[in-house]
Amino acid sequence: MHVLNDEAYMRLALQMAESALGQTGINPVVGCVLVKEGRIVGMGAHLKRGHGHAEVLALAMAGEEASGSTAYVTLEPCSHYGKTPPCSDRLIAAGVTRVVVAGTDPNPQVAGTGIAKLRAHGIDVSVGLLGEEAAAMNEAFNKYIVTRMPFVTLKTASTLDGRIASKTGDSRWITSPASRAYVHTLRHRHQGIMVGVETIIADDPLLSARGDVPALQPVRIIADSRLRIPPGARVLTEQDRQPTILLATAQAPAERRAALEARGITVLTCGDGPQVDLTLAMRQLGEREIGSILLEGGGRLNGAMLERRLLDKLVLMFAPKLIGGGHAAPVNINFEGFAKMDDALTLDRLKVEQLGPDICITGYPAYQD
């Protein structure tokens, strides 16, 4: 009797969590629904880091009716004092008698202790309902909280014959308005957006999330080993709502670094070599609490990130076009490559969808040991 109702209420909690994607920083998105005697008495979603968690907001809505209710929560209630008090204690104090949890919290500070505390106080707890969906929603958090490295999603757009521009260099636009709208959603849902300096020099992009309504803006991250970025680039001149971080090396001219830092631009030193040490760069960005990055680089940067196994997810968009051209722009993922087809990197958990006339393939790289 519980199964059908449980799933319906958990799906509602998941929908509430999903609505906050892109708003919670390095925190997970979480939804909570409180049900008593077949009636929803409280709902809540975590909306911003440092603010009330989903359970707290749902309990506030329910008031006294929380006593004797069932709580449907997309992530294990926390058991430690962070920026807010433990949610497990709140549920216990409110008299909730049953808790249905989609998935356990990978945070080492929680990691099952919230569930254990609830059970120790006589609360009936079940775990795993729609757990895969809940985990996918928090895939960036799940990686960052364990490794302190950002979850990196590569987004590319090309024609069916693999071109990212015509033989004259024209690349506006490869994909349809529907695909471009989806890209702006992806930008909103990531804390950072990353490109190489060649993209800045060639296109002078703003690298912002634009849509029908205002969106939270990602931090702009530019791989620029020798700080060749033009002083008038828009990513440098428009810093009020969307800061820029430059990834350089120790070989970058000191006077360029000083001039940029005098303008309030953050410059990180990522290695001593001629090229940015991308692994070190990701580690430094993680230390700055940037837990997710959308990579929209050129072929060389994309390929270098792939070779270093720094990509966690790929979003590949293909327009139903053939542009040809023997001297057309290179492929969108450019690296040395494998000697044998058997060694080729494959993608797992594929999802294929249509965006307007375009095809979007999403997958996760299955790196070989």
Side-chain angles (χ1 to χ4, degrees), residues 194-205 207 221-230 233 235-236 246-247 275-276 297-298 300-301:
M194 180 175 173
V195 300
V197 69
E198 295 292 350
T199 297
I200 303 299
I201 293 171
D203 301 331
D204 192 23
L207 299 181
I221 303 164
I222 317 298
D224 185 6
S225 58
R226 295 181 179 272
L227 297 178
R228 295 185 295 119
I229 189 167
V235 295
L236 299 182
L246 300 179
L247 308 177
Q275 302 296 326
V276 170
R300 285 173 50 196
L301 178 58

Side-chain angles (χ1 to χ4, degrees), residues 66-87:
S67 179
S69 68
T70 295
Y72 298 86
V73 192
T74 59
L75 186 69
E76 174 183 5
C78 60
S79 57
H80 67 291
Y81 280 87
K83 291 183 178 293
T84 58
C87 291

Side-chain angles (χ1 to χ4, degrees), residues 1 26 46 98-99 108 122 140 149 160 188 216 242 302 353:
M1 180 177 177
I26 57 170
H46 179 47
R98 180 169 176 255
V99 178
M149 294 277 279
L160 287 179
H188 165 68
L216 290 176
Q242 196 178 3
N302 294 345
E353 56 189 324

Side-chain angles (χ1 to χ4, degrees), residues 4 29 31 36 46-47 100 107 111 118 127 135 142 148 173 189 204 208 233 253 284 329-330 336 346 365:
L4 181 60
V29 291
K36 184 175 183 179
H46 179 47
L47 301 178
V100 181
N107 186 344
L118 293 171
V127 183
N142 293 342
R148 296 295 167 177
W173 294 99
R189 290 183 173 183
D204 192 23
S208 61
Q284 291 191 44
E336 186 175 345
T346 59

Side-chain angles (χ1 to χ4, degrees), residues 120-206:
H121 283 79
I123 296 177
D124 177 16
V125 182
S126 59
V127 183
L129 180 63
L130 302 181
E132 289 187 6
E133 295 181 33
M137 199 174 295
N138 278 316
E139 59 189 3
F141 166 78
N142 293 342
K143 177 188 178 180
Y144 178 80
I145 200 65
V146 175
T147 68
R148 296 295 167 177
M149 294 277 279
F151 184 97
V152 182
T153 301
L154 170 64
K155 187 280 298 181
T156 67
S158 64
T159 60
L160 287 179
D161 51 348
R163 305 298 189 181
I164 61 175
S166 72
K167 62 183 180 181
T168 64
D170 179 43
S171 61
R172 295 172 66 93
W173 294 99
I174 295 174
T175 53
S176 67
S179 292
R180 299 199 295 274
Y182 179 56
V183 170
H184 287 292
T185 298
L186 289 175
R187 289 180 177 183
H188 165 68
R189 290 183 173 183
H190 288 77
Q191 288 180 265
I193 177 171
M194 180 175 173
V195 300
V197 69
E198 295 292 350
T199 297
I200 303 299
I201 293 171
D203 301 331
D204 192 23
L206 191 56

Side-chain angles (χ1 to χ4, degrees), residues 223-293:
D224 185 6
S225 58
R226 295 181 179 272
L227 297 178
R228 295 185 295 119
I229 189 167
R234 292 198 294 170
V235 295
L236 299 182
T237 59
E238 301 184 27
Q239 288 280 307
D240 53 339
R241 295 175 56 237
Q242 196 178 3
T244 295
I245 296 175
L246 300 179
L247 308 177
T249 74
Q251 296 186 15
E255 64 275 12
R256 293 184 190 172
R257 177 187 299 269
L260 288 162
E261 290 178 338
R263 297 171 60 181
I265 308 299
T266 299
V267 181
L268 301 182
T269 301
C270 307
D272 300 325
Q275 302 296 326
V276 170
D277 182 332
L278 293 169
T279 303
L280 176 59
M282 293 302 107
R283 191 173 299 121
Q284 291 191 44
L285 292 169
E287 290 171 356
R288 290 175 171 268
E289 296 192 334
I290 296 175
S292 60
I293 294 173

